[in-house]
Each structure stands twice: as C-alpha cells, then as structure tokens.
Amino acid sequence: MSRPGTATPALALVLLAVTVAGVGAQGAALEDPDYYGQEIWSQEPYYTRPEPEPETFSPPLPAGPGEEWEPRLQEPRAPKRATKPKKAPKRGKSAPEPPPPDKNSNKKVMRTKSSEKAANDDHSVRVAPEDVRESCPPLGLETLKITDFQLHASTVKRYGLGAHRGRLNIQAGINENDFYDGAWCAGRNDLQQWIEVDARRLTRFTGVITQGRNSLWLSDWVTSYKVMVSNDSHTWVTVKNGSGDMIFEGNSEKEIPVLNELPVPMVARYIRINPRSWFDNGSICMRMEILGCPLPDPNNYYHRRNEMTTTDDLDFKHHNYKEMRQLMKVVNEMCPNITRIYNIGKSHQGLKLYAVEISDHPGEHEVGEPEFHYIAGAHGNEVLGRELLLLLVQFLCQEYLARNARIVHLVEETRIHILPSLNPDGYEKAYEGGSELGGWSLGRWTHDGIDINNNFPDLNTLLWEAEDQQNGPRKVPNHYIAIPEWFLSENATVAAETRAVIAWMEKIPFVLGGNLQGGELVVAYPYDLVRSPWKTQEHTPTPDDHVFRWLAYSYASTHRLMTDARRRVCHTEEFQKEEGTVNGASWHTVAGSLNDFSYLHTNCFELSIYVGCDKYPHESQLPEEWENNRESLIVFMEQVHRGIKGLVRDSHGKGIPNAIISVEGVNHDIRTDGVLLLLPRLERNGMIGSLQPLPPRFK
C-alpha cells in the first residue's frame, strides 16, 4: 500500500495474498517451539570502543617559490617483529644497488602487525612526538574513492593495464583484454618505472599494501620496491632506512596482499611506488592500496564537496561473532516489544545462525501480514552486507521508538526477518585477516569448502526437461518443485548452513527476500542458470521477468550510486544499460542458486543485491556505505505490500490449503499456504485488480 513520502516510483507489482481462513494467526501447527525459541543471552557487558587520541602536531606548509620542500617525518614506534616472517621470493630480477632484504626490509605479511626497525639518522627532517603515531585507513583505491585521474604511472603496457587498474583486489575480465585487465603493468621492465597516487591534499602516509596481477594465465608481481613522497610531483624524497634508501619487500605470489608500514609516517600530497625487483619470467605488475590520514584542510573545496556524513547514531564498526550477538541483545533490550532473536540452525563449526525478527507481534504470524527476509554473509568475506543489516536492525528500532511514521507502518504491517551472517565460520576467517589483508577469497566458503550461494538443488533443469517433453505426461509442476531425494541424503555435498536455510524457507511463507552480497554494485534477478546447454552467458528470464526487473530497479534506483552513469565500473562489468540491474544468467551462469531455488520451490521472490565494490571495506567507510544503501533497503522491503490480498475459502467458508492459483499468461503458478501467501503476479496486459500498470520498460 502506498504512503506519502515513499521515495519510489509508481509501482506495478501485484502481490496476491491467499490465506486459509481457518488457520489461526499463531500458526502453531507449523512452528516447532524449539526452532523459534527465544535465545537465552549471557549477561556479559557490551563491548566498548576506545577513545581516539588527540592529535598533537601541525601540518607542514607547502613549499614556496624557490624553496626546497622536505616531508615531515614522525618518530618511529618501538619495533615489533612479525610472528611468521615470509621468506624472500625464490627468483627475482634485482637491481645491483639494493642491500640484502634481510637487512633493510620492512615487509608485513598478511595478518601480521609488525614493522622492521628503521633508524632515523637524517637530521634534516623534522620529527613529531611518538604519541601521534596512529593507524590510518585506506585512501580508497579499492573502494574507488580515489578516482582514475588521481593515479599516474611512468609507462603502461596497454590501456587495460594502465595505472587506473592498479587497485587492490581489482579483478580482470574473462579475456583479460585491452579494457579490463588485472593490474597496472609497466611498459618496460627497468628500474625507472613507477606508479603514484595524488591524494589531492596533505596526507600522513603510513603504509602500502601490494598484490600481483590478477590473471589466470600469467604470473606477474613485484618482489621489492621503494617508496617516495612529494608535495609538488617534481621534487621527490625517498623513504630512508638510516642513511640509505629503504627497500620494501613485496609479494611472493600474485593474490595474497602484503602490507608494509613506513618506518615513520610521512606527510605529503603525492606518494610513488618504484619497483626494484620482480618475479623472474614475469613483468612489473602490481595492484595496491595506500594507508593514509588526510590532514584537516577547511579551504579544500574539492574535499568538502565530496565528504559523506550521516546523522544516524548507529554503531559503525565491524562486529565479530560475539559482538554481533551482543549487539542483537542490545537492540532486543531497547525494543523488546517489536524484536525477537532466534536461530535457524548451526554452522559446520557449531556457531548458531542468528536471525532478528522485527514485527509488532514478534513470534507470531498474523493473517494478512506478509513475511519478508534479508540474508547476508553467504560468502563469509563479503562483510559489507552483514554490517548493513546490523545497522538496519538498529535503525528500525531507533526510528520505531522515535515514532517515525514510515518505519512504524512498515513494522506494524510486515513481519521482517533479518539474518545477517549465514556463513559465520567463513566470516571469522575473513575477520582475522582484516579489511585489507584478506585478499579476494579468504573466508568466502564454509569451513568444509562449500559455496553456499550455489549449493541449493538445481530445480531449473528438472523443470526445463519436463517442459521439453511436450508429448509425454507432465511429471514436474511449474511451481513448488520437490527437492530431489539425492539432495536430502546425508552423503550429499550440502552445507549445514544450506540445509538450515532451506528448512527456514519451508517453515515461513516468505513473499519477498533479498540476499546481500559484495564485490559489485548491481541487483541480479533470476534465472541465474542459462537454459541453453554449453553457454556461459545468456539472458534467461522467468515467467515473472517484468516483476523481477521492477523489484531490482526499486533497489538500484534508490541507491546513491548504482544508477549513476558517471560511476566507474567496479571491475569489468558495465551495468548502466539496465540501470543497475542484470539478469543473473546473462552475467554468469550458476546452477543451484538461492534465487532460482526460492522461485521454483517456494512462493518467495528472491534477488541478489551486490552492495559495494569492496567486499570488506574499512570500518571508516561504513557510514558512507550506510548512506548509500539505507533508502534502498527500506524501499525494497516496502515492495512486499504492493498488490492485492485475498482469502481462499470453500462454499462453507472454510480455508482451502494448497489451492493452486494461476494467472493467465504467466506459466508459473502459486499455491495457498497453511498460514498466509502473498503472490507477486502480473498479467501480460496489466495488473490484476485496479492497480496501476508497470512502466512500459518493465512489460
């Protein structure tokens, strides 16, 4: 039902609610009491965050005409050694002048937090007190906060290997072509090559993270490099180790990020990486991220114009498993009348899969009230979706208490379920690595190595094979397709988390759902599996394609960036032609996806929402990511109310369970549930009832 103030276009989605009148609102016959039991929480106090230390230094002034500029250094901390130092690369093309790596390297390997000792014998530079040393966040090469125009290089091998591709975790296209390749690669392999970042303001640089080239076929990475800084891009000062230039040890393979902290932070505008050696039989290629703290500059209009702030008083940090449970407890204590915490099962490692229910009558199903869900964390390293859902839980509670009319209506008219971490085992691995050092895949899979996102039964093939046998009797219905027996056996390669989600979706009559993922900015709708054999990409629509396209557009169009035509692509795909949406099979085919399973086995319309280019952004980016997605998260939930609702009764007024509902022109039926069913359904020539038709592009 539409409300004033809702930031969505006129919608043409029909959601038909079919209910068995004889079933009580409690739905007791369908719910196992232990399954939905309220979690008993420990009484341990909620965590606290440390207060930030005040800054005690003043930024250096830019050099004036005729003056020689030197960067300002800060006094180094007491050195701490890496617990497990990595060995030097076996083969490398080295310049003759660098000393041995064991004497001057400052390498930080993945998951280490140490820096090698470095003397500061250059008395011409100024140092700051030790207590101003701090850990700085990434500048934003991976998140695209640093634009292509801020990246420069000495030479490039070709456009697709230009400086703009030298971003941490950037992925190459399938063909590794002239436009979308997997790193910056220098045009020549010599010691005069460099790649630099223009921070566009004075910045306290504290570290560099590097990777090799993302490629299926080639092995290219830098094994050592120098770091230089400048205030004008003409006069450069090299980071020193005592009286000599410091050589940082780089990568020993192409995917694991390696962090090097500068021996002392350096204040400048530009930072340059100068490779000194690289993998034998390879080329100078690298991806990188720079750690730095921009200094206050109220006169910098460019920076102030692009700042993103939020007024929401939420907990913007990354939460491990224990902290997530505690945060849920806090929200439940703040809003006990509208929240309930339960678990849907356990992970392979025995961690409970917690969900939060938000409704005016938590714990009970109300006739005529639709069920909605959000899921995140199927890939444990795609952390942004998890944190967005934890922020959403806080936001809904706060706004309900503040009597925000829009949120009050949503909570009182919807039964909302939020499952923020479907793969907590994988998340804990990613959390251990941290936001920048986990690479592209650490924690993606379950503990037993299963990708949950495509671990569901392939019902598409069963349906399509039955449809192709036109002359024989129809053995497979076009909806509520049964799960094959082999999938239900104990020996099947099915994750415990997958089985838990299937049981959850079979117990609750969800109408609409979204699973949040990361690494891209797009909304994908089913089908996710191509129908034509041997094809890897092919547009494969469902019978409800126009409905799915509208649902996808409702999220993308209200996101701050998804439909922005000026936005740079995350990796290789350009989704602007479909306004931030894509049919899953036309992007990359996958069998057994959650979206396809949900559509063919239940009455729930499920979409995959990719919420950011960076799978695991630094927590300093969470406020901005929340602002990017907040309106979209709410608007998408509101779509569950579009359409008409109804009851199916016999001539005596008794409810009819499992009644099949067909819509003319749509080859996908739905059926009544024992409690409630809402049907997203359209006719080809308009909507059922008196609702407005879809815009022409969605028909």
Side-chain angles (χ1 to χ4, degrees):
M1 55 193 73
S2 182
R3 300 190 309 279
T6 301
T8 55
L11 180 52
L13 167 65
V14 176
L15 299 167
L16 175 62
V18 184
T19 309
V20 178
V23 180
Q26 298 289 337
L30 294 181
E31 297 188 357
D32 184 316
D34 294 334
Y35 184 84
Y36 289 109
Q38 176 78 29
E39 186 67 24
I40 299 176
W41 297 96
S42 62
Q43 298 301 314
E44 53 193 336
Y46 189 50
Y47 62 90
T48 58
R49 283 189 276 178
E51 294 288 336
E53 295 184 1
E55 308 226 353
T56 60
F57 74 102
S58 58
L61 296 175
E67 296 178 358
E68 182 178 357
W69 175 83
E70 291 180 340
R72 177 173 302 172
L73 299 185
Q74 296 174 329
E75 192 173 20
R77 294 177 294 182
K80 294 187 294 183
R81 295 281 178 177
T83 54
K84 293 183 180 180
K86 285 184 85 77
K87 297 179 181 179
K90 292 182 180 179
R91 296 179 294 171
K93 298 178 181 177
S94 300
E97 79 276 18
D102 59 342
K103 293 184 180 180
N104 70 343
S105 64
N106 183 36
K107 182 178 180 182
K108 278 186 72 175
V109 191
M110 185 178 72
R111 293 187 296 276
T112 66
K113 295 183 179 180
S114 64
S115 59
E116 302 297 328
K117 69 177 182 178
N120 183 21
D121 295 333
D122 188 352
H123 299 290
S124 64
V125 297
R126 299 167 61 183
V127 299
E130 181 179 355
D131 60 359
V132 302
R133 174 88 184 215
E134 64 178 281
S135 177
C136 288
L139 290 187
L141 276 77
E142 184 175 8
T143 62
L144 307 183
K145 190 173 182 179
I146 296 295
T147 69
D148 290 350
F149 299 105
Q150 294 174 257
L151 300 173
H152 309 279
S154 53
T155 60
V156 299
K157 185 168 292 188
R158 62 173 185 268
Y159 177 79
L161 294 169
H164 65 291
R165 302 295 294 177
R167 301 173 181 271
L168 189 72
N169 286 323
I170 202 165
Q171 301 296 294
I174 296 176
N175 300 319
E176 300 182 22
N177 54 33
D178 287 341
F179 290 98
Y180 301 117
D181 219 316
W184 160 69
C185 289
R188 300 187 302 272
N189 291 334
D190 59 43
L191 301 180
Q192 283 68 53
Q193 304 307 308
W194 48 262
I195 181 172
E196 75 179 42
V197 180
D198 176 7
R200 286 182 170 164
R201 64 186 299 182
L202 290 178
T203 301
R204 184 167 55 256
F205 298 113
T206 61
V208 177
I209 303 173
T210 59
Q211 279 176 312
R213 176 180 177 179
N214 176 250
S215 173
L216 294 174
W217 324 109
L218 301 173
S219 297
D220 298 320
W221 60 82
V222 170
T223 57
S224 67
Y225 58 89
K226 292 182 181 180
V227 177
M228 296 176 282
V229 295
S230 173
N231 199 38
D232 57 8
S233 78
H234 297 292
T235 303
W236 292 88
V237 174
T238 305
V239 174
K240 303 288 186 181
N241 180 18
S243 58
D245 294 347
M246 188 164 192
I247 306 296
F248 295 90
E249 194 173 340
N251 298 83
S252 57
E253 58 89 67
K254 56 189 175 184
E255 289 298 336
I256 299 178
V258 173
L259 167 63
N260 281 286
E261 281 188 333
L262 304 187
V264 289
M266 306 192 72
V267 175
R269 171 175 169 173
Y270 301 88
I271 185 168
R272 177 178 286 185
I273 309 302
N274 170 219
R276 309 306 294 174
S277 63
W278 47 95
F279 182 64
D280 194 20
N281 298 324
S283 301
I284 296 178
C285 295
M286 66 189 310
R287 295 173 285 168
M288 67 178 185
E289 181 63 85
I290 305 296
L291 305 184
C293 297
L295 302 186
D297 186 3
N299 297 320
N300 191 322
Y301 171 74
Y302 175 85
H303 179 74
R304 287 186 286 111
R305 184 186 63 179
N306 290 277
E307 281 183 336
M308 170 57 62
T309 59
T310 181
T311 59
D312 295 329
D313 184 18
L314 306 175
D315 190 22
F316 293 104
K317 71 181 294 290
H318 288 296
H319 301 79
N320 61 24
Y321 183 76
K322 179 180 177 181
E323 292 170 342
M324 180 187 72
R325 292 174 63 242
Q326 290 296 94
L327 179 59
M328 290 179 174
K329 175 178 181 289
V330 169
V331 172
N332 181 242
E333 291 174 346
M334 287 179 58
C335 299
N337 296 328
I338 63 167
T339 61
R340 181 176 69 100
I341 304 168
Y342 64 98
N343 73 83
I344 69 168
K346 293 183 179 180
S347 70
H348 184 273
Q349 290 289 86
L351 298 179
K352 293 182 179 179
L353 307 178
Y354 287 109
V356 179
E357 177 190 343
I358 301 177
S359 174
D360 58 340
H361 293 91
E364 56 181 86
H365 175 82
E366 298 180 75
V367 175
E369 185 169 287
E371 307 262 4
F372 174 92
H373 74 251
Y374 272 132
I375 299 173
H379 296 146
N381 64 330
E382 294 172 6
V383 175
L384 178 56
R386 168 192 175 110
E387 295 304 330
L388 287 175
L389 292 190
L390 292 177
L391 292 169
L392 178 63
V393 169
Q394 300 172 62
F395 178 80
L396 293 176
C397 173
Q398 290 182 6
E399 295 301 302
Y400 185 86
L401 294 177
R403 306 309 295 171
N404 180 323
R406 182 185 186 190
I407 301 303
V408 169
H409 183 271
L410 183 64
V411 170
E412 293 182 349
E413 299 297 326
T414 319
R415 194 180 183 202
I416 303 167
H417 303 259
I418 296 177
L419 178 65
S421 187
L422 179 56
N423 181 10
D425 297 347
Y427 173 80
E428 291 302 303
K429 292 180 183 178
Y431 184 82
E432 181 185 355
S435 62
E436 319 313 324
L437 300 180
W440 189 247
S441 60
L442 179 67
R444 175 184 176 90
W445 300 278
T446 64
H447 184 77
D448 48 343
I450 296 176
D451 187 336
I452 297 176
N453 196 49
N454 58 348
N455 190 224
F456 294 84
D458 174 14
L459 305 181
N460 306 57
T461 302
L462 295 177
L463 173 65
W464 295 335
E465 287 179 351
E467 290 179 345
D468 291 339
Q469 298 173 358
Q470 298 179 357
N471 298 328
R474 186 184 185 94
K475 297 181 180 180
V476 179
N478 65 6
H479 69 292
Y480 265 60
I481 301 175
I483 298 175
E485 291 186 7
W486 67 264
F487 188 90
L488 301 175
S489 68
E490 294 183 0
N491 296 327
T493 307
V494 182
E497 297 86 348
T498 305
R499 296 187 189 275
V501 170
I502 291 176
W504 185 48
M505 298 182 71
E506 290 179 336
K507 283 178 178 288
I508 301 176
F510 291 116
V511 175
L512 180 62
N515 56 88
L516 273 57
Q517 302 190 44
E520 264 297 351
L521 263 178
V522 68
V523 182
Y525 54 90
Y527 289 124
D528 291 326
L529 179 65
V530 297
R531 184 160 186 169
S532 300
W534 311 112
K535 285 191 176 182
T536 59
Q537 292 178 317
E538 181 185 49
H539 183 75
T540 310
T542 67
D544 292 289
D545 184 60
H546 38 330
V547 179
F548 276 114
R549 284 190 291 127
W550 170 258
L551 290 170
Y553 182 73
S554 70
Y555 193 100
S557 62
T558 50
H559 189 279
R560 288 187 62 252
L561 299 175
M562 277 191 190
T563 56
D564 186 352
R566 300 166 298 175
R567 178 179 71 84
R568 183 197 186 281
V569 299
C570 291
H571 300 282
T572 64
E573 301 288 345
E574 173 61 68
F575 299 111
Q576 295 307 313
K577 62 182 179 181
E578 293 189 44
E579 299 181 284
T581 70
V582 66
N583 173 256
S586 67
W587 183 13
H588 50 71
T589 184
V590 58
S593 73
L594 172 58
N595 295 346
D596 290 2
F597 169 79
S598 178
Y599 181 67
L600 295 175
H601 184 67
T602 75
N603 288 318
C604 181
F605 281 28
E606 184 91 17
L607 292 86
S608 293
I609 303 168
Y610 293 79
V611 292
C613 301
D614 189 348
K615 292 182 176 182
Y616 195 158
H618 190 272
E619 67 179 34
S620 63
Q621 293 296 313
L622 293 180
E624 181 171 349
E625 294 294 353
W626 168 246
E627 288 296 320
N628 289 343
N629 288 275
R630 178 184 58 192
E631 180 66 15
S632 301
L633 289 167
I634 298 171
V635 166
F636 189 72
M637 286 190 289
E638 291 172 337
Q639 307 314 303
V640 80
H641 291 285
R642 307 301 182 180
I644 56 177
K645 304 176 183 179
L647 304 175
V648 176
R649 299 189 177 110
D650 60 18
S651 59
H652 302 289
K654 184 178 179 180
I656 304 176
N658 296 317
I660 297 176
I661 310 299
S662 299
V663 176
E664 183 179 356
V666 178
N667 186 27
H668 181 78
D669 301 334
I670 1 191
R671 65 179 64 188
T672 59
D673 188 82
V675 180
L676 170 72
L677 175 65
L678 271 78
L679 308 179
R681 192 56 79 240
L682 289 167
E683 292 181 318
R684 286 182 176 175
N685 297 322
M687 298 187 67
I688 301 174
S690 60
L691 296 178
Q692 296 178 355
L694 284 174
R697 59 185 167 186
F698 297 106
K699 289 186 176 181

